[in-house]
Structure formats: C-alpha cells, structure tokens
Amino acid sequence: MEFTIREAERKDMPEVLELIKELAAYENASDEVQIEVADLEKEGFDQCNFKCFVADVNGKLEGMALVYFRFSTWKGRTVHLEDLIVRESMRGTGLGGALYRKVVEYAHENGVRRVEWVVSEGNKNAIQFYENTGADIKRNWYTVHMDEAVIQKNIKK
C-alpha cells in the first residue's frame, strides 16, 4: 500500500473531524466532541494554534496526528501530541508508525526537548508500541481536566 504523510490543509478539516469522531466513538465518548470544522479551520489555519499531519491513501485521509507547542518549566518548549488517529480499517498497515515518526521529526526540526502525550490505559497496543520506541509511560502522573461547567463554577466563587 502506498501512502503519503503530509501537512494537513484547510480543505482536509472535514475529514480530520471525521477521524476525531471515529476516535471518540472508539473511546465510547462520541457525545464529548463539540468541535466543528470551522473551529479546526480557525484554530489551525487562521490562528496557527496547531499543526496537523495526515496519512493520505489514494486521496482519502486514513489517519492524522495533531500537535501543538507547550512550555515546560523543566524543559522549555515541548511538542504535545494531542491525537494520533488511524481509521480502524487501516490499523496495522504502518500508517500509525509513519505519523508517529513525522511527529518525532517535527519535534526534532523544532529543537524541542520533549514530546508528550496521553494514552488511555486500555489502549494496550498503543502502550506497547510507544514503549517499544523508547517512550517513557509516566504511570505516576495524572491527567487533570476541568470542563466548561466546572470553569464557570470556579469563576463564580
């Protein structure tokens, strides 16, 4: 199978949103996706808040990796991998590994000292893949989220 890993374009955002929704469904969280194509276009292309790489197979996007810069008080500028998604029908084809390598190359090209991301504890295949590449799974750290309702509650105190 031939494929191309390339930087996403504005016109790709409807398919990127499809991939995001597919991941949410896989995680049993379909109702949590609130973002729309217009949000992706604005944030990614008008405001340059993220970079997205896509796996293009014969003109169809079969995977994507979305990254952005963060700042660590310990390491300086880092790259955060928000999501790496490959359509279920295309898993095991090498697309995920190619997208992962593109993210690592992007981080290297930008001189960061760390790439970071979150992986679900139930995603054993991904955990094994990441560990096989030398990534360190931080099992003693917790991811913390505050949703919109809790934000509102906290600002009203």
Side-chain angles (χ1 to χ4, degrees):
M1 174 188 62
E2 290 188 32
F3 60 86
T4 303
I5 304 298
R6 62 174 173 80
E7 195 171 316
E9 301 171 17
R10 184 183 292 265
K11 69 179 177 62
D12 296 322
M13 292 304 103
E15 283 184 279
V16 166
L17 183 56
E18 283 178 26
L19 288 161
I20 291 167
K21 288 179 177 180
E22 186 172 319
L23 175 64
Y26 176 79
E27 296 287 344
N28 297 314
S30 294
D31 59 333
E32 293 188 36
V33 177
Q34 296 177 327
I35 199 161
E36 297 177 359
V37 170
D39 299 315
L40 292 167
E41 292 174 343
K42 174 185 168 191
E43 297 293 336
F45 297 92
D46 299 337
Q47 297 182 355
C48 301
N49 286 326
F50 65 80
K51 180 81 62 177
C52 184
F53 302 105
V54 294
D56 186 323
V57 181
N58 300 319
K60 182 177 181 193
L61 301 189
E62 299 287 2
M64 60 80 93
L66 191 143
V67 299
Y68 54 88
F69 291 109
R70 290 177 58 181
F71 188 84
S72 164
T73 56
W74 293 3
K75 301 292 181 185
R77 192 167 69 147
T78 67
V79 166
H80 181 83
L81 171 58
E82 181 63 22
D83 281 319
L84 192 157
I85 306 163
V86 174
R87 290 191 197 277
E88 189 170 4
S89 63
M90 298 299 287
R91 293 185 188 143
T93 63
L95 292 181
L99 284 163
Y100 183 77
R101 281 188 299 283
K102 185 66 173 178
V103 169
V104 172
E105 289 169 6
Y106 177 74
H108 177 73
E109 290 165 3
N110 283 278
V112 302
R113 294 186 178 105
R114 180 169 68 204
V115 180
E116 56 204 19
W117 62 96
V118 177
V119 60
S120 168
E121 68 181 349
N123 196 340
K124 303 297 184 198
N125 290 337
I127 291 169
Q128 183 177 9
F129 173 81
Y130 296 142
E131 288 178 331
N132 287 343
T133 67
D136 181 17
I137 309 289
K138 301 289 189 189
R139 289 178 170 87
N140 58 337
W141 288 77
Y142 292 93
T143 300
V144 180
H145 290 178
M146 182 182 288
D147 68 17
E148 191 174 9
V150 177
I151 293 169
Q152 291 299 321
K153 179 181 173 186
N154 275 273
I155 64 169
K156 291 180 181 176
K157 286 184 176 184

